[in-house]
Coordinates of all heavy atoms in Angstrom, one line a residue:
R143 N -1.3 -20.7 5.0 CA -2.2 -19.9 4.1 C -2.2 -18.5 4.8 O -1.2 -17.8 4.8 CB -3.6 -20.5 4.0 CG -3.5 -21.7 3.1 CD -4.9 -22.3 2.9 NE -5.8 -21.4 2.3 CZ -7.1 -21.8 2.0 NH1 -7.6 -23.0 2.3 NH2 -7.9 -20.9 1.5
S144 N -3.4 -18.1 5.4 CA -3.5 -16.7 5.9 C -3.1 -16.6 7.3 O -3.3 -15.5 7.9 CB -4.9 -16.2 5.7 OG -5.1 -15.8 4.3
R161 N 4.0 -20.0 1.4 CA 2.7 -19.4 1.4 C 1.8 -20.1 0.3 O 2.0 -19.8 -0.9 CB 2.8 -18.0 1.3 CG 1.5 -17.1 1.0 CD 0.3 -17.5 1.9 NE -0.8 -16.5 1.8 CZ -2.0 -16.7 1.6 NH1 -2.4 -18.0 1.3 NH2 -2.9 -15.8 1.6
A162 N 0.9 -20.9 0.7 CA 0.0 -21.6 -0.3 C -1.0 -20.7 -0.7 O -2.2 -20.8 -0.4 CB -0.6 -22.9 0.3
G163 N -0.6 -19.6 -1.5 CA -1.5 -18.6 -1.9 C -0.7 -17.5 -2.5 O 0.6 -17.6 -2.7
A164 N -1.3 -16.3 -2.8 CA -0.6 -15.2 -3.5 C 0.0 -14.3 -2.5 O 1.1 -13.9 -2.5 CB -1.5 -14.5 -4.4
G165 N -0.9 -13.7 -1.6 CA -0.4 -12.7 -0.7 C 0.5 -13.2 0.5 O 0.2 -14.1 1.0
N188 N -4.1 -19.8 -7.6 CA -5.6 -19.6 -7.2 C -6.2 -18.5 -8.2 O -7.3 -18.1 -7.9 CB -5.8 -19.3 -5.8 CG -5.0 -18.1 -5.3 OD1 -4.8 -17.2 -6.2 ND2 -4.7 -18.1 -4.0
R338 N -7.1 -7.2 -1.1 CA -6.8 -7.0 0.3 C -7.5 -5.8 0.8 O -7.5 -4.8 0.2 CB -5.3 -6.9 0.5 CG -4.4 -8.1 0.5 CD -4.7 -9.1 1.6 NE -4.0 -10.3 1.6 CZ -4.3 -11.4 0.9 NH1 -5.5 -11.5 0.3 NH2 -3.5 -12.4 0.9
H379 N -13.7 -13.5 2.7 CA -12.4 -13.8 2.1 C -12.4 -15.2 1.5 O -11.7 -16.2 1.9 CB -11.3 -13.8 3.2 CG -9.9 -13.8 2.6 ND1 -8.9 -14.1 3.3 CD2 -9.5 -13.7 1.3 CE1 -7.7 -14.2 2.6 NE2 -8.1 -13.9 1.4
A382 N -10.1 -17.5 -2.9 CA -9.3 -18.6 -3.3 C -9.8 -19.9 -2.7 O -9.1 -20.9 -2.7 CB -7.9 -18.4 -2.8
Ligands
3PG193 C1 -4.2 -15.2 -1.5 O1 -3.5 -14.4 -1.0 O2 -3.8 -16.1 -2.2 C2 -5.7 -15.2 -1.1 O3 -6.0 -14.1 -0.5 C3 -6.2 -16.5 -0.6 O4 -5.9 -16.6 0.8 P1 -6.2 -17.9 1.6 O5 -5.2 -18.9 1.2 O6 -6.2 -17.5 3.0 O7 -7.6 -18.3 1.2

Side-chain angles (χ1 to χ4, degrees):
R143 285 181 63 180
S144 282
R161 166 45 164 129
N188 56 27
R338 281 292 179 268
H379 191 199

